[in-house]
Amino acid sequence: MLRITPSVSVSAAKTYYTQGLSQESYYSQGQEIIGQWYGKSAELLNLKGQVCQEQFVALCENKHPKTEKKLTPRTKNNRRVGYDFTFDCPKSVSLVYAHTQNKDILSAFRESVHEAMQEIETDMQTRVRRSGKNEDRKTGNMAWAEFVHFTARPVSEKSIPDPQLHSHCFAFNATYDDQEKKWKAGQFGAIKRDAPYYQETFHSRLAERLQNLGYGIERTKDGWEIAGIPRTLIDQFSKRTAQIERVAQEKGITDAKQKAALGAKTRKGKHLGLSMEDLRLAWASQINETEKRTLEDACNKKTPPEGISGRQAIEHAVQHTFERRSVASDRQIMAEALRYGVGSVTVQKIRQEFQNSGFLIHKRDGETLTTTKNILREEKSMIDYVRAGRGTCRPFVQKEYVVKDARLNTGQKNAVLHVLQSPDRVTAIRGKAGVGKTTLMKEAVNAIEEGGRRVFPFAPTSEASRKVLRMEGFKNADTVQRLLVDKKMQAQTKNQVIWIDEAGLLGANTMNRIFEIAKKQNSRIVLSGDSRQHTSVERGDALRILENQAGLRSALISEIKRQKGHYKEAVEQLAKGDIKKGYKILEKIGAIKEISDADRNKQLASDYLKTLDTGKTALIVTPSHKEGDKVTSLVREGLKNGGAVGKEECEIFKQRNLNWTEAQRADARNYLPGMRLQLNQNVEGLVYGVRAKGLDVKTVRVKTFKRGEKLEVQQINNQGNLLVKRKDGSTSLLSLKQAKRFQVYEAGSLPLAYGDKIRITQNGYSLDKHRLNNGVIYKIKGFSDEKNIILENDWVIPHDYGNLTHGYCVTSHVSQGKTVDRVFIAQSADSFPASSREQFYVSVSRGREKVTIYTDDKTALKESIWKSGTRLSATELTKETPEKKNSEFAFTVNRLKKYARSIAGKARNAIVEKYGRPISNAQGRLHQLQQEYKKEREREYGLER
């Protein structure tokens, strides 16, 4: 693992050196590896060999360690002093080294760290602000002090620390700019961004070196370990990891970066007075003789690599990386390829394979971004379909149409007329949140059907289609997924109209499949949605791409009807993307409350319950599940105290979707016994052998796995197949080649009581065969003797349904499409990593009457919602950047002007010489030619103004 931690003040950096980096000597008694200087900047500063405190402190204070003069131009006490790059090797490597003291292992580790740091140094940058510039320039030099440590932090002040070989490389915030000939602050942003890549290059090199020493390498779910070291032994000496996992589970943290930060917050100081010999004796006393022999024999357990080629590793990386995005950096792809092929591929092999793989590569803001020809072709197909369909159809209504619904405002009426009079195969309605798109949809659909065509409404989610649209009168509304798989339904749309609501949630692949159906059935398409709200999970923001690249003709509805007054003004500004103005209005009306951790969620829960008591509808929205769980706990506590929810709880089985990509689901090393699978399509079972009596083996052919069936993982065999247990207790083999047909879940439990609200998280059926739609919230009436859930409407949900959660708090993604009287938003630092301008806009716009945002830091909240979650498309990547166009255009125009002036001057002189006076018509003609040429260049570069 690689963690990059900033040191945010001079005093903190000094303390870190005296109490952290240099403390390893307490464990070593003469055997410590004293800190060493490395890097080209260190050489320029004449820093060599051992690190002494005076040198370290001088750089902390931004002084030249030899001359004591100021180093970089700016010196502030709270300046960012530097960054601690911490490299951890796998636990099995630490155990083998601690027990055997094999110096070759230590050398392999240090050499791998040095190569990683040298690559990081090559990427070092500084900011350039001279001559009106605002960019970063590569300097390629850095100074860092390396400290090698051998133990992990103890879990308590009295416990013995576990062995953990790791290295701290403290890089100072100073680099030499050779062009400006001076020392300047470093720019570490790109380095932090590419941390996963540097981490995987380090692991790849370390694994390769250990293999050369005779150690076997086996891939694991989280990385790799030395082959032959039992998992039980690794877990036994991973007490610090177990402690962090426990705290993370209590706090609802699942993100690896947040766990790393949690580790820094919860660490204890190291023990003083224990030597390395004392520690080795303590470690040896914790293992038996068999385990000691396992550690000693590890070097002789060399196993052949898994045989993953560089091509296979890159193919896996492409499948995984591009499932949910159209564009990725070269280093994101190579990092994933190195992680997947560790022990089989080298850094150099992956780099070569990447260069030979035919990626479409473009530079943007100093970063190398890539996409594939297939993804570009996918987007082009979608764009071409819309372009080719322009003007090819008769309007739905030939004569002048008078809108019948008097409630519609001017914008809504114009949108209805736009759809009815459109001659295009694909037309669209763009509307902000709360403008009444569904209301105008009724008018348009009625008019189309009066003209003799049927309209088939669809939406990406079950709640938007089977609940919202059906409640609005569209009885035949269904999900887009149903349209894609139901051949009978597709046939019904022949020569008719397909209307997709919430079309902003569609990805490029899904949109293309809809277009293919429409083309085959000769159907027309209407898309309604808002590309400024949340987009699809799958790659390609289809609606936005069609709007920007295909010239999709849309009716824009801007007048918001959901909110009133200042609340409406705030939502309007957020809808336009003006976060600054929208946030300012929300502050002005007192909608943003900054409250400390101790009281914030209590206040939110109290305000929410009071709103329910008044008979108003309310919704709690948060960007992250972690914060949502905290709020839910307090809301349920309040409901229990008031008697609305029973105090006696029933633990119900719950499964949490791990949201793996298909590539992750196809990788056998990711699975652990006890994980759950659920089939989204029928799958043929595998034939396998079982022992019948004694040594007799009979062949068993299992039945087909049915759609919706839930399975429990028992074990993983060497062929990459899963042995799974079915509901009846029988076991069967499931091939990972069928990964597209199932999802993977983590098993858990959910405490419920009568009166509780639950939300369905995946489509299914109750025991009495009623459809349970994803996103719908129900109230619990009670429980049967078998722990089945009885709802208020008397439907019965089986106790092992699994796909449900508490229904009090939802993420902003789930909230999209919902409308309530009052919306409460929990958005503290816990949720800032998941925050964005799209998330904030969706969350704020859910309420009719009022919104309240609860945070612990207004300033940080404002910064977190400034970033956009919009993903770059392959079409946008490969299209010439506006900056380049403008630059080339300006150059061409300036050159043209000079040439035109020269010609005009010569012509004028010639005319004057011949006629004795200038002729205005000649000059006018020259000016006209100049303007015509300028416009032609504008058209060529797409810069019509």
Side-chain angles (χ1 to χ4, degrees):
M1 178 183 288
L2 168 61
R3 297 187 303 277
I4 304 177
T5 310
S7 180
V8 294
S9 70
V10 174
S11 59
K14 292 178 182 178
T15 302
Y16 187 47
Y17 174 82
T18 56
Q19 296 184 6
L21 297 177
S22 61
Q23 285 295 313
E24 194 67 17
S25 58
Y26 285 107
Y27 292 121
S28 308
Q29 289 192 346
Q31 300 176 42
E32 74 273 12
I33 298 176
I34 299 173
Q36 300 286 313
W37 287 112
Y38 292 98
K40 294 177 182 178
S41 291
E43 294 176 9
L44 291 173
L45 294 168
N46 199 25
L47 295 173
K48 299 177 182 178
Q50 296 180 7
V51 177
C52 70
Q53 186 169 357
E54 290 77 11
Q55 296 167 336
F56 195 95
V57 168
L59 286 175
C60 287
E61 294 175 345
N62 195 31
K63 295 178 181 177
H64 192 294
K66 299 298 182 182
T67 65
E68 292 290 312
K69 292 182 180 179
K70 186 168 71 170
L71 193 60
T72 66
R74 299 177 64 187
T75 302
K76 295 189 296 185
N77 192 48
N78 62 345
R79 63 185 285 273
R80 188 152 289 188
V81 175
Y83 290 81
D84 179 13
F85 292 76
T86 307
F87 294 85
D88 280 278
C89 63
K91 179 61 71 173
S92 58
V93 178
S94 297
L95 290 175
V96 172
Y97 175 73
H99 186 74
T100 65
Q101 291 295 288
N102 185 339
K103 293 183 179 179
D104 290 334
I105 293 178
L106 181 59
S107 296
F109 169 70
R110 296 192 70 189
E111 288 167 11
S112 301
V113 170
H114 292 168
E115 287 187 24
M117 286 300 297
Q118 286 167 357
E119 188 166 2
I120 291 170
E121 180 182 39
T122 302
D123 294 332
M124 188 63 189
Q125 297 176 317
T126 189
R127 291 179 177 178
V128 180
R129 298 293 182 268
R130 279 188 172 183
S131 304
K133 292 182 178 180
N134 185 7
E135 60 190 27
D136 296 327
R137 178 162 59 222
K138 188 171 286 190
T139 60
N141 64 82
M142 191 166 67
W144 70 90
E146 181 206 42
F147 302 86
V148 179
H149 293 182
F150 303 99
T151 62
R153 293 277 176 172
V155 295
S156 67
E157 294 179 359
K158 295 182 179 180
S159 62
I160 299 295
D162 289 327
Q164 184 60 49
L165 178 58
H166 62 284
S167 176
H168 293 273
C169 297
F170 192 93
F172 286 91
N173 187 16
T175 186
Y176 188 73
D177 187 338
D178 194 48
Q179 290 194 34
E180 296 185 27
K181 304 299 180 184
K182 66 178 181 180
W183 289 94
K184 297 167 62 179
Q187 175 64 304
F188 287 81
I191 290 174
K192 290 193 70 176
R193 179 196 65 209
D194 291 336
Y197 167 75
Y198 302 125
Q199 172 180 289
E200 298 309 330
T201 61
F202 158 70
H203 279 296
S204 180
R205 289 168 175 140
L206 178 57
E208 182 185 5
R209 285 189 168 94
L210 291 177
Q211 284 175 315
N212 293 338
L213 293 176
Y215 293 94
I217 299 298
E218 58 184 13
R219 296 188 303 151
T220 65
K221 177 179 178 295
D222 299 316
W224 60 277
E225 299 287 353
I226 291 179
I229 307 300
R231 185 74 239 178
T232 52
L233 194 59
I234 292 173
D235 292 340
Q236 181 181 341
F237 285 96
S238 301
K239 296 187 243 342
R240 175 71 176 139
T241 301
Q243 180 193 40
I244 293 171
E245 288 293 338
R246 281 196 302 272
V247 176
Q249 189 172 12
E250 291 170 3
K251 292 180 174 289
I253 296 174
T254 57
D255 181 71
K257 290 183 180 179
Q258 290 180 307
K259 286 183 181 179
L262 187 65
K265 292 177 182 177
T266 59
R267 65 185 180 189
K268 302 291 183 182
K270 293 189 174 183
H271 279 281
L272 307 183
L274 290 176
S275 68
M276 281 300 297
E277 188 58 36
D278 293 333
L279 288 173
R280 280 196 290 272
L281 290 173
W283 294 332
S285 68
Q286 298 178 46
I287 59 178
N288 58 42
E289 291 301 319
T290 302
E291 290 170 331
K292 289 177 183 177
R293 284 195 297 272
T294 298
L295 294 172
E296 291 166 357
D297 295 342
C299 188
N300 301 317
K301 295 288 184 181
K302 185 172 183 178
T303 57
E306 290 186 64
I308 297 173
S309 66
R311 167 99 312 251
Q312 289 172 316
I314 289 289
E315 286 174 353
H316 165 86
V318 166
Q319 185 184 11
H320 170 70
T321 305
F322 289 121
E323 180 173 315
R324 295 170 184 169
R325 67 182 81 179
S326 303
V327 174
S329 73
D330 57 342
R331 290 186 163 180
Q332 285 173 320
I333 295 169
M334 287 190 281
E336 180 60 27
L338 288 168
R339 186 199 65 81
Y340 179 76
V342 66
S344 295
V345 299
T346 63
V347 175
Q348 188 60 33
K349 186 184 294 184
I350 289 300
R351 284 176 180 162
Q352 290 174 350
E353 197 61 54
F354 177 85
Q355 294 298 327
N356 298 332
S357 294
F359 288 102
L360 302 176
I361 301 175
H362 292 259
K363 291 276 189 180
R364 282 286 180 97
D365 299 324
E367 187 177 15
T368 302
L369 299 179
T370 69
T371 189
T372 69
K373 293 177 182 177
N374 286 338
I375 294 174
L376 184 61
R377 195 178 298 119
E378 175 183 79
E379 292 182 8
K380 188 176 185 299
S381 174
M382 181 177 68
I383 292 168
D384 288 347
Y385 182 83
V386 170
R387 286 177 175 171
R390 282 189 196 159
T392 60
C393 304
R394 290 183 178 180
F396 291 113
V397 176
Q398 300 289 330
K399 57 185 180 180
E400 185 176 346
Y401 180 80
V402 178
V403 175
K404 298 173 183 176
D405 192 340
R407 297 173 301 167
L408 301 185
N409 59 35
T410 302
Q412 290 172 310
K413 290 177 181 178
N414 289 338
V416 171
L417 295 176
H418 169 77
V419 172
L420 298 183
Q421 297 169 359
S422 173
D424 300 338
R425 176 75 59 187
V426 182
T427 190
I429 297 173
R430 292 170 52 205
K432 302 172 183 177
V435 296
K437 293 188 291 292
T438 310
T439 306
L440 72 88
M441 181 179 170
K442 291 180 185 178
E443 178 80 24
V445 168
N446 289 337
I448 293 171
E449 294 192 334
E450 284 175 6
R453 291 190 186 229
R454 287 187 65 194
V455 178
F456 291 85
F458 299 93
T461 65
S462 297
E463 187 173 21
S465 58
R466 294 171 183 153
K467 183 184 177 184
V468 176
L469 287 178
R470 288 184 182 181
M471 285 177 62
E472 292 291 338
F474 302 102
K475 301 300 182 185
N476 62 335
D478 218 314
T479 63
V480 169
Q481 187 59 34
R482 173 79 184 278
L483 172 66
L484 297 181
V485 300
D486 192 326
K487 300 295 183 183
K488 185 177 179 181
M489 182 175 284
Q490 293 172 16
Q492 290 174 344
T493 67
K494 189 172 183 64
N495 300 320
Q496 308 304 323
V497 181
I498 296 172
W499 190 304
I500 310 291
D501 194 28
E502 296 287 357
L505 291 173
L506 297 180
N509 179 263
T510 298
M511 188 69 85
N512 263 322
R513 292 171 67 187
I514 293 171
F515 288 170
E516 288 169 7
I517 293 169
K519 185 176 182 180
K520 182 178 179 180
Q521 302 299 335
N522 192 36
S523 307
R524 292 181 66 177
I525 296 174
V526 181
L527 304 173
S528 61
D530 182 7
S531 57
R532 288 189 181 272
Q533 297 187 51
H534 286 303
T535 54
S536 66
V537 174
E538 70 172 326
R539 70 168 174 257
D541 304 338
L543 185 61
R544 184 180 61 82
I545 293 171
L546 294 178
E547 289 172 352
N548 296 340
Q549 307 298 329
L552 176 65
R553 290 193 271 221
S554 307
L556 175 62
I557 319 166
S558 57
E559 185 180 341
I560 295 173
K561 301 183 72 175
R562 183 179 296 164
Q563 295 89 20
K564 305 293 181 185
H566 293 305
Y567 184 11
K568 177 180 177 179
E569 291 175 21
V571 173
E572 284 176 335
Q573 295 303 324
L574 295 176
K576 290 192 296 187
D578 195 331
I579 300 299
K580 185 177 180 179
K581 284 186 180 179
Y583 188 91
K584 190 174 182 179
I585 295 170
L586 290 171
E587 270 194 311
K588 183 179 178 180
I589 63 176
I592 304 175
K593 297 184 181 296
E594 186 177 80
I595 307 173
S596 64
D597 286 340
D599 302 317
R600 185 180 61 259
N601 288 333
K602 288 182 181 179
Q603 184 65 53
L604 190 159
S606 175
D607 292 347
Y608 170 77
L609 294 173
K610 287 176 182 177
T611 299
L612 294 182
D613 289 341
T614 65
K616 299 283 188 180
T617 58
L619 183 69
I620 303 173
V621 182
T622 181
S624 68
H625 291 289
K626 171 189 173 184
E627 191 153 17
D629 290 343
K630 291 179 180 179
V631 176
T632 292
S633 177
L634 291 168
V635 169
R636 293 186 73 235
E637 183 182 332
L639 289 170
K640 287 180 179 180
N641 292 336
V645 169
K647 293 191 175 182
E648 187 176 341
E649 293 186 333
C650 182
E651 289 288 335
I652 300 296
F653 169 69
K654 175 188 175 181
Q655 57 184 28
R656 182 177 66 88
N657 195 333
L658 296 175
N659 291 312
W660 286 353
T661 63
E662 184 180 342
Q664 289 174 309
R665 299 196 298 273
D667 189 350
R669 68 176 172 172
N670 288 331
Y671 291 89
L672 295 172
M675 286 182 172
R676 306 301 173 104
L677 312 178
Q678 184 164 340
L679 281 292
N680 50 45
Q681 296 180 52
N682 293 344
V683 176
E684 285 293 328
L686 295 175
V687 176
Y688 71 108
V690 296
R691 293 190 182 278
K693 292 182 180 179
L695 298 176
D696 295 334
V697 175
K698 66 177 181 179
T699 298
V700 177
R701 185 179 297 275
V702 300
K703 296 179 181 178
T704 301
F705 294 106
K706 297 293 184 182
R707 180 176 178 270
E709 187 173 356
K710 299 182 181 71
L711 310 167
E712 181 181 345
V713 176
Q714 300 291 293
Q715 63 185 59
I716 304 95
N717 67 16
N718 295 331
Q719 289 74 44
N721 300 319
L722 300 179
L723 181 67
V724 295
K725 185 168 73 173
R726 310 182 80 159
K727 190 173 182 178
D728 61 7
S730 63
T731 56
S732 303
L733 281 182
L734 178 67
S735 172
L736 290 180
K737 293 179 180 178
Q738 302 289 345
K740 191 172 186 176
R741 296 172 178 260
F742 61 80
Q743 290 293 331
V744 186
Y745 299 81
E746 184 178 66
S749 64
L750 184 71
L752 295 175
Y754 83 81
D756 254 328
K757 287 183 180 180
I758 57 171
R759 179 170 56 85
I760 304 301
T761 57
Q762 188 164 316
N763 297 336
Y765 290 90
S766 65
L767 285 176
D768 37 357
K769 305 303 179 185
H770 293 288
R771 180 185 285 276
L772 300 170
N773 290 318
N774 183 13
V776 178
I777 295 174
Y778 298 101
K779 194 171 183 180
I780 296 176
K781 181 179 179 180
F783 302 89
S784 70
D785 293 339
E786 297 81 15
K787 289 189 175 182
N788 295 326
I789 304 168
I790 304 171
L791 304 179
E792 261 195 337
N793 59 6
D794 291 327
W795 294 2
V796 181
I797 299 179
H799 63 87
D800 60 350
Y801 184 78
N803 300 309
L804 45 79
T805 188
H806 290 119
Y808 304 104
C809 189
V810 299
T811 63
S812 59
H813 282 85
V814 175
S815 76
Q816 187 161 321
K818 296 182 184 293
T819 303
V820 292
D821 295 326
R822 286 200 58 183
V823 60
F824 300 87
I825 303 173
Q827 198 158 348
S828 69
D830 291 337
S831 295
F832 290 164
S835 300
S836 68
R837 64 177 62 184
E838 292 81 9
Q839 164 273 315
F840 195 67
Y841 166 42
V842 170
S843 301
V844 169
S845 61
R846 295 309 94 198
R848 294 187 192 93
E849 302 174 2
K850 191 174 181 180
V851 60
T852 310
I853 301 114
Y854 300 79
T855 186
D856 55 351
D857 190 334
K858 283 186 178 182
T859 303
L861 169 65
K862 190 175 182 179
E863 291 174 356
S864 73
I865 62 174
W866 196 260
K867 65 179 184 288
S868 172
T870 301
R871 301 170 296 186
L872 192 66
S873 71
T875 308
E876 290 163 335
L877 176 69
T878 55
K879 196 173 182 180
E880 221 167 13
T881 64
E883 292 82 3
K884 185 177 179 182
K885 286 183 181 179
N886 278 307
S887 176
E888 292 189 11
F889 172 73
F891 174 77
T892 303
V893 168
N894 287 333
R895 187 173 58 181
L896 171 64
K897 285 180 177 178
K898 287 180 181 179
Y899 178 71
R901 280 196 297 268
S902 173
I903 294 296
K906 290 178 181 178
R908 183 169 52 251
N909 293 337
I911 291 168
V912 169
E913 185 177 339
K914 184 174 182 179
Y915 296 102
R917 62 184 176 83
I919 299 176
S920 58
N921 287 345
Q923 287 179 298
R925 179 57 180 156
L926 286 170
H927 179 72
Q928 181 184 352
L929 289 172
Q930 177 182 340
Q931 293 301 313
E932 287 177 359
Y933 188 81
K934 177 182 175 183
K935 289 180 180 178
E936 183 61 33
R937 298 298 289 175
E938 287 178 346
R939 284 192 290 273
E940 181 179 344
Y941 285 98
L943 292 171
E944 293 90 349
R945 300 178 182 179

